[in-house]
Amino acid sequence: MTRTRCDRTPAWAALESAYQKEGHAFDVRTAFATDAGRFEMFSQQAPHVFADLSKNRIDANTQALLFELARQTGVEQHRDAMFAGEAINHTEQRPVMHWLLRNPALDHTELAKEAPENIALELSKVHTTLDAMLAYAETVRADVQITDVVNIGIGGSDLGPQMAVLALNEFAVPGKRFHFVSNVDGHELAAVLKHLKPESTLFLIASKTFTTIETMTNGLSAKRWFEAHGGTDIARHFAALTTNVPAANAFGISTTFGFWDWVGGRYSLWSAIGLPLAISIGADDFREFLAGAHAMDEHFKTAPLERNLPVRLALLDVWYRNFHGFTSRSIAPYHSALRRLPAYLQQLEMESNGKRVDAKGETLPFATSPVLWGEPGTNGQHAYFQMLHQGTDVVPLEFVAVKKPMHTLENHHELLLANVLAQAQALMVGKEDAGGHKHFTGNRPSTFLLLDELTPASLGALIALQEHRVFTSGAVWGINSFDQWGVELGKVLARDVEARLLKGDVNGLDGSTAGLLQKLRAS
Ligand code: F6P
């Protein structure tokens, strides 16, 4: 299907004039004062996640135009193409099917009815691997000799499992420590190895391609350390999580769990890359995690756009990025276990949608991915919230709060929830009676996501929600959200610079790189 570029649709033009007329001066406080039903209209329950969008600079008219924009840019068709297994990652000629990793096996015949035969076939591979990986996870959990699990991977092979293991710490098996080593900087691996013994350590070498220089370097050093410290049984102490099993075998690892090229790196937490999480929370809870995400997949697939939460969040992102011109979005999880969520979402959003050409390779005249950043609350309040309240830029903020705590300490949770509510309120209402330094303009937009509890299922749903939201804004912008050619140039240049550093060769280099290289080599 040929899709119309967003800025050439009638809805885009209508949004531009809506912004010029009223949108730029829209005041959320006035909107609440004049519409008693605003909270109901701009909030909704989706699987495991309640969302309040009512504190955003949006009204019924803008929202209707945004839904039109989604329709006119073919978002639904693009979504259906993804779920039909079409090669929508066209620059790599691959389908995009991370959602299949969370499809229950029971749905197999149902799926076969509506999906092409090849998807049903992939699903059976998914479940064979999942069963094997979860059986292995259970063995490791029961193995009291293994006290330390070290995940060596980077990007999607690190951020997802790291974020999720931390988030679901309350569900973790006792007696095991989890470590995540990603950086090629040897300080990171060295600091972890210092506390380990080969006989009680399991190394998971996580790399979709099994070629990534950081992971290969760390993996090799881990193997050398293991052997140098008397370790012999590589099959027991090393496992590889990869689509490239032959490369893992060539590396000397025989225990492997595979996945497929139709799983993007930043979407791979649901595959064998999720093994650290499976070891931590166990097979049943890992299946719950997948089920939570699957519930969100079904919601995204079937809910009308008007009640489709990923779509509503994405359209708001587009409204802010392209019409208000906001350049960043901040995420503030009010739960310390979600402290790696901002880093995870940063890769998801910025590696997916940080593109300046459309699917045909044509330069886009409009903005795409915002900068995504954040820290957990309440910490952020004592660091950069000053700028959110009184700075010159408007930064839409996304709060994530959890209703029920898992601890029994008195007062803490009430205080935490009071703070998250108060921050959202303060951003909106401001303080206009005071002048100068004490003046708060207010009308600063925020979205509030609320989970009942932080469980494997709700975390799964929250992550799938964010994936589909990124999918939707990418679809409106008409870009390929599933490649990442932008990381290649740095990789190629690093190889060249590495050779030059060794030899001191600055021939043909720009003045700055040459100067720095010489400084690094000077004794
Ligand atoms: O930085 C690019 C990238 O390919 C990411 O997309 C990916 O998550 C990361 O590198 C790690 O790749 P791999 O899992 O193949 O080692």
Side-chain angles (χ1 to χ4, degrees), residues 347-359:
Q347 185 195 18
L348 183 62
E349 174 81 54
M350 292 166 76
E351 203 175 67
S352 298
N353 286 345
K355 314 280 163 72
R356 52 174 286 283
V357 297
D358 68 8

Side-chain angles (χ1 to χ4, degrees), residues 153-157 206-212 215-216 259 264-266 268 273 347 351 484 487-488 491:
I154 196 163
S157 303
S207 175
K208 177 179 169 181
T209 54
F210 226 80
T211 56
T212 306
T215 305
M216 295 302 101
F259 59 111
R266 53 194 172 275
S268 62
I273 295 294
Q347 185 195 18
E351 203 175 67
Q484 57 284 319
V487 296
E488 294 307 316
K491 287 189 198 170

Side-chain angles (χ1 to χ4, degrees), residues 85 109 272 284 379:
T109 37
D284 290 347
N379 300 27

